[in-house]
Amino acid sequence: MATGETTAESLSIGVVAERTGLSVHALRFYEREGLLVGPVERTSGGRRRYTAFDVDWLLICVKLRASGMPLADLKRFAELVRHGPGNEAERLRLLDAHRQRVDAQIQALEECRSVIAWKVGVYAEHLARGEAGGLWDPTA
């Protein structure tokens, strides 16, 4: 058993931080902001104890945040999941809107990459021919 674990389903904040890539401070923030689906259990000494479900949920949250989901949307999504069945259509709308934003970001990045690749080609070609002098020279 890893340090900080008492059972397979009871994980310390340090173990959860390792598994999710979130800092202990970020985990406390997620809890404070209502981003977790369930309440975080506490030991008799007041230490937080997480479950494998909490880790799975946090890994989803990490990806949603890393992909640019606004905190307000993530809060709403967590709230909907907490309320249980019956709001799946709203969850889908929220996730689909985010997917569309991510798709637009990917398209914009692909356009940027295309321009960069073209410019790399221009410089590589000029350098290979020994004709790079004066290429975009602001002093010329």
Side-chain angles (χ1 to χ4, degrees):
M1 197 174 304
T3 302
E5 290 186 48
T6 58
T7 71
E9 287 297 308
S10 181
L11 309 171
S12 71
I13 196 168
V15 169
V16 174
E18 284 177 24
R19 291 187 182 179
T20 62
L22 293 168
S23 68
V24 168
H25 176 74
L27 288 167
R28 290 181 185 127
F29 172 80
Y30 272 49
E31 181 182 356
R32 227 180 12 258
E33 292 297 314
L35 297 173
L36 296 170
V37 174
V40 175
E41 298 297 322
R42 303 282 182 142
T43 66
S44 59
R47 295 187 180 272
R48 289 170 174 83
R49 302 307 297 177
Y50 296 86
T51 66
F53 176 83
D54 294 324
V55 171
D56 291 344
W57 174 256
L58 286 163
L59 290 171
I60 292 168
C61 291
V62 165
K63 292 300 182 191
L64 291 173
R65 287 294 291 151
S67 63
M69 179 178 269
L71 192 56
D73 287 356
L74 186 54
K75 281 182 177 184
R76 180 66 182 144
F77 185 55
E79 179 183 337
L80 291 168
V81 172
R82 254 192 314 279
H83 282 115
N87 58 31
E88 292 82 4
E90 188 174 350
R91 293 183 211 179
L92 174 60
R93 280 191 298 275
L94 194 148
L95 290 171
D96 191 49
H98 182 61
R99 182 191 52 79
Q100 289 177 31
R101 287 190 302 268
V102 169
D103 287 347
Q105 291 171 347
I106 290 169
Q107 176 63 37
L109 285 171
E110 286 174 346
E111 291 170 9
C112 293
R113 182 178 56 197
S114 177
V115 169
I116 293 166
W118 166 73
K119 201 61 187 162
V120 164
V122 167
Y123 275 86
E125 183 180 319
H126 279 80
L127 285 169
R129 289 193 319 239
E131 301 173 355
L135 192 59
W136 283 53
D137 184 354
T139 61

